[in-house]
Amino acid sequence: MPRVARAPLVIAGLLLGSASVSAMGLRSFVALPIEKGGTVLRLFDSYNFDQNSNVLVTNLAYGISSKQTIFLGLPYQSSSGSDQFGDLNVLYRHVVWQVDDRVGTSRLGLLGGLVVPTESDRDVRLQAGAVATFYRRRHEWDIDALWIQGLNDAPDAARYDISWQYRLTPASYPEWGPATEWDGVLELNGRWIEGDAMVHQVTAGLQWIHRRWVLEGGVVQDLNGPQHTRLVLSTRVHF
Amino acid sequence: MAETQEVLEIDIDGMTCTFCAYGIEKNLGELDGVENVDVSLELKKARVTMKAGESANEKLIREIILDGGFTPKESSRHSKES
């Protein structure tokens, strides 16, 4: 497959299928804390109005321990005339630093993994990066950056996400028992693939957070480059 | 005749959202002898109510909180009549 033709799949795999869990932003699944033995399934759908194309990413996060998490992501792209799977994204997160206190937490995790092709004409890519989370009272900031090194003919790529989440309601949790909450999300994201300029994006959305599941959605607007607009919808379930 | 149940309350640092707290709530609830688990995001506490005649294993409870990615702190025990 020529480089230009496979670029959307690569981008879909990098941005949607890779590292990014509230606690977490909309566009990335890698900040999510997961308990030892816990599993979170996420379905993330992104519709591009300008290309009339859709990418559905199935993400799975599994807690090996409180410090070690495995993330898997598999995108499925649909556009006029072609439906196909993207590459399997496998990412490992190791939390190397964490400070908890009464009003929040600060964590730093290192990321490493592979992007495994699902078709024989694509090449493996290696990926490495970091994710940081700062949570204070009603505010959460998640920052992640990832470098993807292409092997053989695979292009290099990179991404970053800076996400701010603010708990809109409730202002205070109930004294005991689970609470349903609404968070507002504002993000600055960047996606780069070798041969093109970095595309910076702004994402604005809402998260409806329950004890075991989350519904979330938002709008993504390119700030440069193709100037595309996307609608993203996602659901997460904690097993 | 009313029976007595032991209740252990433990402070948890770093517990920040409902979705994140579910893991420890679930795992504490699966411990032998536990009747009920409540989590308070406001007070940053878990409250483990034992079945009548059962005693809370604090070491295991602390391990589950650590495995959940949070930090267990001070704890206290009291009794209540069921």
Side-chain angles (χ1 to χ4, degrees):
Chain A
M1 186 185 292
R3 173 174 293 194
V4 171
R6 69 185 174 186
L9 272 177
V10 172
I11 292 171
L14 295 180
L15 303 194
L16 303 174
S18 74
S20 299
V21 204
S22 253
M24 67 179 220
L26 266 176
R27 306 281 308 285
S28 174
F29 191 55
V30 288
L32 183 69
I34 303 178
E35 77 281 4
K36 180 182 178 182
T39 303
V40 172
L41 174 68
R42 186 189 204 200
L43 297 175
F44 183 97
D45 192 80
S46 172
Y47 178 74
N48 186 319
F49 290 97
D50 299 286
Q51 291 185 320
N52 190 26
S53 62
N54 193 75
V55 180
L56 174 67
V57 184
T58 303
N59 285 119
L60 198 66
Y62 176 75
I64 300 168
S65 75
S66 62
K67 304 288 186 198
Q68 301 167 291
T69 308
I70 287 282
F71 299 93
L72 302 174
L74 185 63
Y76 184 79
Q77 184 168 30
S78 308
S79 57
S80 51
S82 76
D83 293 351
Q84 59 183 323
F85 283 104
D87 294 340
L88 176 67
N89 200 306
V90 182
L91 204 55
Y92 168 77
R93 179 187 65 194
H94 197 113
V95 175
V96 293
W97 177 79
Q98 177 173 350
V99 176
D100 292 339
D101 59 33
R102 300 300 293 164
V103 295
T105 183
S106 303
R107 291 188 295 262
L108 176 66
L110 299 180
L111 304 167
L114 297 170
V115 181
V116 182
T118 53
E119 292 188 11
S120 60
D121 62 348
R122 297 198 291 263
D123 291 311
V124 171
R125 281 162 285 146
L126 306 176
Q127 48 185 347
V131 55
T133 291
F134 305 96
Y135 202 116
R136 285 291 173 274
R137 297 185 172 85
R138 298 170 74 174
H139 302 268
E140 177 175 349
W141 294 267
D142 295 309
I143 301 167
D144 63 73
L146 204 58
W147 173 262
I148 298 97
Q149 180 69 47
L151 301 180
N152 300 320
D153 289 336
D156 298 338
R159 60 174 284 166
Y160 74 84
D161 303 279
I162 302 169
S163 176
W164 169 54
Q165 299 132 64
Y166 178 74
R167 193 176 75 232
L168 300 168
T169 180
S172 298
Y173 288 117
E175 192 163 296
W176 287 101
T180 296
E181 64 182 76
W182 283 92
D183 287 7
V185 183
L186 191 59
E187 300 187 357
L188 183 63
N189 318 99
R191 305 294 186 252
W192 174 79
I193 187 162
E194 190 177 3
D196 291 330
M198 170 78 81
V199 177
H200 301 281
Q201 303 164 324
V202 63
T203 301
L206 285 172
Q207 296 173 317
W208 188 28
I209 301 166
H210 289 248
R211 187 166 153 262
R212 285 195 65 190
W213 53 269
V214 176
L215 285 177
E216 54 201 344
V219 175
V220 181
Q221 177 63 51
D222 290 347
L223 298 175
N224 62 319
Q227 299 287 343
H228 288 175
T229 304
R230 298 169 186 81
L231 175 68
V232 295
L233 292 171
S234 159
T235 184
R236 284 181 259 157
V237 182
H238 194 159
F239 296 98
Chain B
M1 185 176 173
E3 293 184 281
T4 300
Q5 291 179 280
E6 184 181 77
V7 179
L8 184 141
E9 289 189 4
I10 185 163
D11 293 339
I12 302 173
D13 280 2
M15 188 170 63
T16 51
C17 82
T18 303
F19 191 75
C20 314
Y22 172 73
I24 58 168
E25 194 182 337
K26 177 189 70 175
N27 290 335
L28 290 174
E30 290 172 357
L31 282 178
D32 285 344
V34 169
E35 181 176 276
N36 187 52
V37 176
D38 292 307
V39 168
S40 171
L41 289 166
E42 182 66 16
L43 304 173
K44 311 295 184 200
K45 280 178 185 282
R47 183 170 60 196
V48 182
T49 304
M50 305 303 295
K51 293 173 182 168
E54 300 282 351
S55 182
N57 184 334
E58 186 170 339
K59 183 168 176 282
L60 270 181
I61 289 171
R62 286 181 176 274
E63 275 178 21
I64 286 172
I65 294 168
L66 283 169
D67 284 344
F70 310 120
T71 304
K73 305 296 280 189
E74 299 298 313
S75 65
S76 63
R77 292 174 193 251
H78 63 271
S79 298
K80 71 167 195 174
E81 290 192 350
S82 55

